[in-house]
């Protein structure tokens, strides 16, 4: 039987700590949450490798170091309400919940959402919502934090409208090696954004910029 606890510690020591993730609570969350519980049984041996886990349909679980940097940037706090857009099987939601937040994990792929529901059975810290990612989840809004579990090129106003006053939104903007981790903060109906660091990511479905027509 695989020693997943040992693999988690190796992941944290060799992948996460080495990319300037220093927040003790974030590190503790990655040491606590079993990544293997959020991948299909046949893929559990790959759960702690330093690479994304690929799912059917072109979706993926972000590799540990990239996700840890994004979570540290987002800085979820105990008692906050958080929306994860593109939550897939729920690993990111589990990390954020471990930090004390109440989480809605939004997923439009029915198979991935069912895996997440199974993983969170009996855990009232995380609710799994099924619907179009680009619509967000207004039923539980407003949110103190909206975190995109993947890359975006544009964010619909339907999602930004779900931020609480003073809330923040964290996303990888752009795709591939041009991706940038960006934090946006709401203030009086206006979002102010800053780029924190470069971070590659795969585009979430529905968040591509419309192609411009040129003569």
């Amino acid at each position: 039987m695989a020693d997943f606890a040992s693999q988690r510690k190796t992941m944290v020591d060799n992948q996460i700590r080495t990319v300037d993730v220093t927040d003790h609570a974030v590190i503790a969350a990655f040491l606590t949450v079993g990544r293997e519980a959020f991948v299909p049984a046949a893929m559990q041996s790959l759960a702690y490798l330093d690479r994304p886990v690929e799912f059917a349909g072109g979706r993926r679980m972000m590799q540990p170091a990239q996700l840890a940097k994004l979570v540290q940037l987002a800085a979820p706090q105990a008692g906050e309400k958080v929306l994860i857009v593109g939550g897939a099987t729920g690993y990111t939601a589990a990390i954020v919940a471990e930090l004390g937040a109440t989480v809605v994990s939004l997923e439009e792929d029915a198979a991935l959402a069912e895996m997440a529901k199974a993983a969170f059975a009996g855990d009232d810290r995380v609710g799994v919502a099924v619907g179009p990612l680009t619509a967000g989840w207004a039923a539980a809004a407003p949110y103190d934090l909206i975190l995109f579990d993947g890359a975006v090129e544009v964010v619909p106003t339907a999602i930004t409208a779900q931020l609480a006053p003073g809330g923040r939104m964290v996303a990888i903007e752009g795709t591939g090696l041009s991706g940038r981790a960006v934090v946006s903060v709401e203030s009086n109906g206006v979002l102010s954004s800053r780029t924190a660091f470069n971070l590659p990511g795969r585009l979430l479905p529905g968040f591509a910029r419309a192609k411009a027509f040129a003569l």
Side-chain angles (χ1 to χ4, degrees), residues 58 70 82 95 157 161 177 181:
L70 203 63
V82 180
I95 293 290
T157 56
L177 297 178

Side-chain angles (χ1 to χ4, degrees), residues 56-82:
R59 299 291 298 284
R60 62 165 53 172
M61 180 188 290
M62 201 180 301
Q63 67 193 78
Q66 292 175 345
L67 178 59
K69 284 175 68 71
L70 203 63
V71 171
Q72 179 172 259
L73 177 65
Q77 302 297 308
E80 287 189 324
K81 185 190 293 183
V82 180

Side-chain angles (χ1 to χ4, degrees), residues 125-140:
R125 301 174 304 170
V126 180
V128 178
V130 183
L133 301 185
T134 53
W137 194 253

Side-chain angles (χ1 to χ4, degrees), residues 41-60:
M43 301 173 68
Q44 287 186 342
S45 63
L46 308 176
Y48 292 98
L49 296 182
D50 187 15
R51 68 185 190 190
V53 176
E54 302 286 344
F55 298 123
R59 299 291 298 284
R60 62 165 53 172

